[in-house]
């Protein structure tokens, strides 16, 4: 492999274009996610100079270089324009395959470690074209570059197809929510508009016991044991994510009070307040921390899984805004959570709604899992091939 400066195969382009009030503008998304036309609510300044760009040019954002804002301008954005803050470059000579180069610089291993080049404060480091062109990279022969780009682009195409499928299924899930839950929510939150409803409306306090977690004791480490516990940040949409293992001391009362069992409904108090999931594990020693509400049914009138879908729907439609504090960090207190109203369908209707929504949710979860596998494969393969640890034969 040959070590070569980027300036040996890239040359900055500065073809004068239009003033900012009429220029058709480009934006570059972070983490190598592409180049797109910029949507503006109002025209830019006529005093700002823009430069004409061509399809096939390499582009990056000076401000977001360290966040992987790179791309190659697609055909549909030919003749669009940018300021000098989004410099563009022509490929010169025949040493580099453009697609290979884009894959190379889009790796975290490349862009995240160039902070020393930046000018400006910690939050606004700009990487100049002059410094960028001085960087050296290891260059395999051109046929090998093309083969590597073909492999990585093939993975990207599969990922993009999965992303489109996820978006389609997600839109279908939203449609199902509207069909199945809109009338229930409107009955609960605006009963004056639904005089014909036969559904009984109750606050959560009548249906569920709610226990807020607390900061668990880590002081008595000499008497401590390692326990798995769930923190607020681990409640992802629909599913708990990571369980921590730490040395903590629990009294027997704390063990009873803050333990989790399969079927518990967990709702975030802080952070993304109202986010919820069902705990499905059966481990004996799992505990939950402060900023999480644990909900358990008082009776059989409403199932935890139906309540999870109901709360998620209400949150997505902004129906919970009056129950969540408006401070800098949103909070859904226990008192407010207990006040949230729900119009209760029959158990049979609850089961039917849950079955349809869960079926769609699990389909989406499987697609996300496949997408994650592809991303992991891409990361591993690109790391090996672009670093030169593994070579491809051509």
């Amino acid at each position: 492999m040959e070590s070569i400066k980027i300036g040996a195969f890239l040359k900055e382009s500065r073809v004068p274009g239009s003033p900012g009030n009429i220029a058709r503008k480009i934006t570059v998304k972070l983490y190598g996610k592409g180049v797109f036309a910029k949507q503006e609510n109002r025209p830019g300044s006529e005093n700002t100079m823009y430069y004409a760009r061509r399809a096939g040019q390499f582009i990056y954002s000076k401000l977001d270089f360290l966040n992987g804002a790179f791309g190659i301008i697609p055909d549909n954005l030919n003749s669009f324009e940018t300021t000098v803050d989004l410099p563009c470059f022509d490929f010169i000579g025949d040493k580099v395959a453009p697609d290979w180069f884009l894959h190379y610089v889009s790796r975290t291993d490349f862009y995240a470690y160039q902070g020393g080049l930046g000018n400006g404060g910690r939050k606004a480091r700009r990487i100049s074209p002059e410094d960028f062109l001085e960087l050296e990279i290891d260059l395999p022969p051109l046929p090998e570059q093309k083969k590597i780009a073909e492999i990585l682009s093939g993975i990207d195409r599969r990922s993009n197809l999965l992303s489109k499928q996820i978006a389609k299924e997600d839109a279908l899930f939203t449609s199902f929510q509207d069909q199945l839950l809109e009338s229930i929510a409107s009955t609960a939150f605006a009963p004056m508009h639904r005089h014909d409803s036969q559904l009984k409306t109750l606050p959560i306090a009548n249906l569920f016991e709610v226990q807020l977690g607390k900061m668990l004791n880590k002081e008595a480490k000499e008497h401590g044991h390692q326990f798995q516990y769930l923190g607020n940040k681990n409640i992802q949409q629909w599913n708990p994510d990571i369980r921590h293992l730490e040395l903590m001391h629990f009294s027997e009362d704390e063990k009873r009070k803050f333990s989790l069992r399969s079927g518990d409904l967990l709702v975030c108090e802080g952070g993304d307040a109202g986010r919820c999931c069902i705990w499905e594990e059966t481990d004996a020693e799992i505990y939950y921390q402060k900023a999480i509400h644990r909900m358990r049914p008082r009776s059989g009138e409403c199932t935890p899984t139906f309540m999870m879908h109901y709360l998620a729907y209400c949150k997505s439609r902004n129906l919970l805004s009056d129950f969540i504090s408006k401070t800098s960090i949103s909070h859904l207190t226990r008192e407010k959570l207990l006040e949230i109203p729900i119009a209760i369908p029959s158990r049979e209707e609850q089961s039917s709604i849950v079955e349809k929504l869960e079926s769609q949710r699990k389909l989406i979860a499987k697609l996300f899992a496949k997408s994650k596998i592809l991303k992991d494969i891409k990361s591993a393969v690109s790391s090996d091939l672009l670093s030169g640890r593994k070579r491809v034969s051509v």
Side-chain angles (χ1 to χ4, degrees):
M1 296 179 69
E2 176 186 5
S3 183
I4 187 172
K5 287 185 177 181
I6 291 175
F9 56 84
L10 282 186
K11 182 179 180 181
E12 187 179 5
S13 171
R14 286 208 180 188
V15 177
S18 311
N21 60 327
I22 61 173
R24 295 181 300 165
K25 302 175 182 69
I26 287 174
T27 185
V28 185
K29 290 197 174 182
L30 307 184
Y31 312 116
K33 292 184 178 178
V35 184
F36 298 88
K38 186 175 183 179
Q39 304 298 321
E40 289 189 311
N41 295 326
R42 57 184 181 182
S45 170
E46 62 180 331
N47 297 320
T48 303
M49 185 64 187
Y50 279 72
Y51 294 87
R53 307 311 190 185
R54 295 196 308 274
Q57 288 180 325
F58 177 80
I59 183 173
Y60 76 84
S61 166
K62 286 183 181 179
L63 183 59
D64 286 313
F65 184 102
L66 301 178
N67 293 312
F70 308 114
I72 290 178
I73 297 175
D75 291 342
N76 65 304
L77 298 182
N78 188 52
S79 298
F80 275 60
E81 301 170 70
T82 76
T83 66
V84 292
D85 281 334
L86 278 77
C88 288
F89 304 83
D90 293 313
F91 287 91
I92 55 177
D94 58 358
K95 285 184 173 292
V96 171
D99 287 347
W100 177 89
F101 180 69
L102 180 59
H103 284 298
Y104 184 94
V105 298
S106 296
R107 294 176 303 140
T108 307
D109 287 349
F110 172 80
Y111 62 76
Y113 299 101
Q114 309 298 340
L117 300 176
N119 298 314
R122 180 174 61 86
K123 293 184 179 180
R125 292 185 175 179
R126 287 174 166 80
I127 307 299
S128 72
E130 293 76 19
D131 288 333
F132 174 61
L133 294 174
E134 284 295 310
L135 291 173
E136 289 191 3
I137 65 173
D138 292 327
L139 209 61
L142 187 62
E144 187 175 350
Q145 292 177 43
K146 292 179 178 179
K147 184 65 176 179
I148 291 171
E150 181 184 332
I151 293 169
L152 298 179
S153 295
I155 298 174
D156 284 345
R157 284 191 292 273
R158 291 171 62 191
S159 292
N160 290 337
L161 286 173
L162 263 179
S163 295
K164 290 178 181 178
Q165 189 176 358
I166 288 170
K168 179 181 177 182
E169 298 298 341
D170 199 46
L172 187 58
F173 179 82
T174 300
S175 175
F176 287 164
Q177 282 185 312
D178 286 332
Q179 293 171 26
L180 299 169
L181 295 172
E182 190 277 333
S183 64
I184 294 169
S186 64
T187 297
F189 285 87
M192 70 290 296
H193 298 306
R194 295 196 57 81
H195 300 294
D196 60 331
S197 176
Q198 300 300 309
L199 298 180
K200 177 173 62 174
T201 297
L202 292 171
I204 284 177
N206 289 36
L207 301 167
F208 285 84
E209 296 176 351
V210 177
Q211 175 65 59
L212 178 64
K214 73 167 192 174
M215 185 64 74
L216 299 174
N217 178 18
K218 301 181 184 180
E219 300 301 323
K221 290 193 175 182
E222 66 273 17
H223 303 298
H225 302 280
Q226 281 194 321
F227 291 99
Q228 296 182 89
Y229 74 90
L230 201 67
N232 173 264
K233 293 181 180 178
N234 308 126
I235 305 294
Q236 305 301 314
Q237 185 181 23
W238 309 119
N239 294 299
D241 183 22
I242 303 166
R243 285 174 292 171
H244 296 281
L245 194 65
E246 289 201 8
L247 193 65
M248 288 182 278
H249 174 74
F250 292 84
S251 67
E252 290 303 314
D253 180 60
E254 284 177 325
K255 287 184 180 181
R256 287 189 295 270
K257 195 170 184 180
F258 302 108
S259 64
L260 292 175
R261 65 190 185 207
S262 182
D264 284 340
L265 172 57
L266 304 174
V267 182
C268 287
E269 180 210 30
D272 188 9
R275 191 172 65 242
C276 53
C277 73
I278 294 290
W279 182 253
E280 296 178 344
E281 301 286 337
T282 56
D283 305 55
E285 292 187 326
I286 302 291
Y287 302 89
Y288 69 105
Q289 209 181 18
K290 69 179 291 188
I292 296 176
H293 299 287
R294 184 196 64 201
M295 295 176 59
R296 289 176 177 169
R298 289 184 180 277
S299 65
E301 285 188 89
C302 186
T303 68
T305 307
F306 176 78
M307 178 59 78
M308 176 188 74
H309 283 288
Y310 175 77
L311 286 175
Y313 174 81
C314 292
K315 177 175 169 55
S316 68
R317 300 307 185 273
N318 208 32
L319 296 174
L320 302 183
S321 59
D322 290 341
F323 298 86
I324 296 174
S325 67
K326 306 298 191 296
T327 58
S328 57
I329 301 176
S330 64
H331 281 90
L332 175 61
T333 66
R334 179 177 180 274
E335 291 72 21
K336 287 296 184 181
L337 176 60
L338 289 170
E339 291 176 8
I340 294 172
I342 176 171
I344 311 166
S346 68
R347 286 295 296 264
E348 291 74 18
E349 186 177 351
Q350 289 181 43
S351 296
S352 175
I353 290 170
V354 165
E355 182 180 359
K356 192 163 190 177
L357 291 176
E358 281 291 284
S359 175
Q360 186 67 10
R361 180 182 75 84
K362 289 176 180 178
L363 171 60
I364 294 170
K366 286 181 181 179
L367 294 175
F368 268 114
K370 288 182 181 179
S371 179
K372 185 180 183 305
I373 290 171
L374 278 178
K375 287 178 182 177
D376 291 343
I377 291 172
K378 166 81 181 292
S379 178
V381 170
S382 63
S383 180
D384 284 340
L385 296 182
L386 295 170
S387 67
R389 286 193 297 269
K390 288 187 178 180
R391 309 295 296 271
V392 295
S393 57
V394 292

